[in-house]
């Protein structure tokens, strides 16, 4: 069923693209209202398919054990009483991750971001999820949002975000961005970001591993761009 949903969405997107280009060009004298109506109808169809995908993941919840069902109901009951408490959202996020329900996990992250927009975990977890799906552009945007949320985090409001947690969280997000640059064959961008943020990245437990990786990637520039290679080699000491 899931495969069928994704295939249908792909077909709809192709049809929408044709409607934007082919129809409007071959029927220039046609009603613009008709063209707009077609776009709106197609967008609604795509949204309906996205809703169908969510229903698919909701259906999976019917397979929960009695203990898991009780746990989920208890978490939802607590969350319903206070949707502004990020800890309540995180309990639901951890639960969906535990039962490996990707769709509901994503929905729970979206709910956290919507209800507690100044809390960094919603953005950072979403960035990691999208990175795992190789959706680097979207993941990068969430990583940047998470960094800003960490920088602006009110410790009095969220005492769990200690200075050490904040620093480690930001460093981790910069490392994620560096890895996405590397995986996108944008080695110089990865190196540049590391050099800009090396003071905080060096303190992270993976700091040495990232530096080692970037040194290895810089070797690929030796024949392509000797001048830049030498500059990077000096900077990455």
């Amino acid at each position: 069923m899931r495969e069928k949903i994704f295939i249908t969405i792909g077909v709809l997107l192709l049809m929408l693209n044709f409607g934007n280009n082919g129809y409007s060009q071959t029927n220039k004298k046609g009603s613009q209202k008709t063209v707009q109506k077609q776009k709106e109808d197609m967008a609604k169809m795509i949204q309906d398919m996205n809703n169908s995908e969510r229903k698919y993941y909701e259906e999976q919840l019917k397979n929960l054990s009695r203990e898991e069902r009780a746990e989920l109901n208890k978490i939802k009951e607590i969350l319903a009483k206070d949707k502004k408490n990020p800890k309540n959202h995180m309990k639901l996020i951890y639960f969906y991750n535990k039962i490996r329900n990707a769709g509901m996990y994503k929905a729970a992250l979206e709910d956290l971001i919507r209800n507690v927009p100044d809390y960094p975990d919603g953005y950072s977890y979403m960035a990691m999820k999208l990175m795992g799906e190789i959706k680097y552009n979207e993941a990068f945007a969430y990583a940047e949002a998470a960094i800003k949320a960490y920088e602006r985090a009110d410790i009095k409001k969220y005492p769990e975000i200690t200075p050490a947690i904040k620093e480690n969280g930001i460093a981790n997000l910069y490392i994620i961005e560096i890895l996405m640059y590397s995986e996108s064959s944008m080695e110089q961008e990865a190196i540049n970001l590391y050099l800009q943020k090396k003071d905080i990245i060096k303190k992270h437990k993976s700091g040495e591993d990232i530096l080692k990786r970037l040194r290895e990637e810089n070797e690929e520039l030796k024949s392509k761009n000797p001048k830049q290679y030498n500059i990077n080699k000096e900077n990455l000491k």
Side-chain angles (χ1 to χ4, degrees):
M1 177 181 176
R2 186 181 179 190
E3 289 75 9
K4 184 177 180 181
I5 289 172
F6 290 148
I7 291 171
T8 308
I9 290 175
V11 172
L12 289 173
L13 287 171
L14 183 60
M15 291 170 63
L16 181 59
N17 186 57
F18 176 78
N20 288 342
N21 297 304
Y23 181 87
S24 59
Q25 290 177 12
T26 57
N27 299 275
K28 292 180 180 178
K29 295 181 180 180
S31 169
Q32 291 299 317
K33 290 184 179 180
T34 301
V35 175
Q36 182 61 32
K37 182 67 167 57
Q38 286 187 337
K39 291 180 181 179
E40 291 173 356
D41 289 346
M42 196 64 68
K44 185 177 183 303
M45 289 174 67
I46 292 172
Q47 182 59 49
D48 288 343
M49 293 310 300
N50 288 336
N51 291 339
S52 295
E53 183 184 1
R54 176 162 180 166
K55 287 179 181 178
Y56 165 78
Y57 284 111
E58 289 174 342
E59 283 292 314
Q60 289 185 328
L61 296 179
K62 293 181 179 179
N63 299 323
L64 294 178
S65 67
R66 181 180 298 178
E67 292 76 14
E68 289 173 332
R69 171 64 60 186
E71 182 182 356
L72 176 58
N73 289 339
K74 184 177 180 180
I75 293 171
K76 284 186 173 181
E77 184 180 338
I78 294 171
L79 180 58
K81 293 178 180 178
D82 186 4
K83 290 189 176 183
K84 293 301 179 181
N85 186 336
K87 292 181 180 179
N88 295 339
H89 288 276
M90 293 307 299
K91 289 176 182 177
L92 187 60
I93 289 166
Y94 292 146
F95 176 82
Y96 286 136
N97 182 62
K98 182 177 69 174
I99 65 171
R100 300 184 181 279
N101 190 313
M104 299 312 297
Y105 176 80
K106 180 181 178 182
L109 287 175
E110 291 171 341
D111 285 342
L112 170 57
I113 292 170
R114 181 167 50 254
N115 287 285
V116 199
D118 60 342
Y119 199 73
D121 283 10
Y123 304 104
S124 60
Y125 278 56
M126 186 69 84
M128 289 185 281
K129 182 181 188 302
L130 292 168
M131 179 186 178
E133 297 172 357
I134 319 180
K135 297 177 180 178
Y136 294 147
N137 287 339
E138 295 176 63
F140 204 101
Y142 277 104
E144 285 292 296
I147 291 170
K148 290 180 181 178
Y150 267 122
E151 291 174 341
R152 299 169 181 171
D154 185 346
I155 296 180
K156 291 182 179 179
K157 186 177 181 181
Y158 305 121
E160 67 272 21
I161 305 179
T162 63
I165 292 293
K166 178 184 293 191
E167 185 175 78
N168 187 72
I170 292 174
N172 188 58
L173 288 158
Y174 284 135
I175 289 172
I176 286 173
E177 292 182 347
I178 288 170
L179 291 174
M180 287 192 288
Y181 275 137
S182 295
E183 292 299 319
S184 302
S185 299
M186 301 171 70
E187 292 84 3
Q188 191 57 50
E189 286 80 359
I191 292 172
N192 290 344
L193 180 56
Y194 173 82
L195 294 175
Q196 291 171 13
K197 308 297 180 181
K198 64 181 180 180
D199 288 344
I200 188 171
I201 293 174
K202 281 182 176 180
K203 299 176 184 178
H204 192 275
K205 62 181 181 180
S206 299
E208 283 298 319
D209 293 333
I210 286 297
L211 179 56
K212 181 180 179 181
R213 174 173 177 150
L214 293 176
R215 284 170 176 166
E216 292 173 352
E217 291 185 356
N218 187 49
E219 291 299 316
E220 297 179 13
L221 294 175
K222 193 170 186 177
S223 58
K224 299 176 185 178
N225 191 339
K227 183 178 180 181
Q228 188 62 57
Y229 163 78
N230 287 322
I231 294 174
N232 290 341
K233 186 176 182 179
E234 181 67 25
N235 289 333
L236 293 172
K237 284 184 176 179

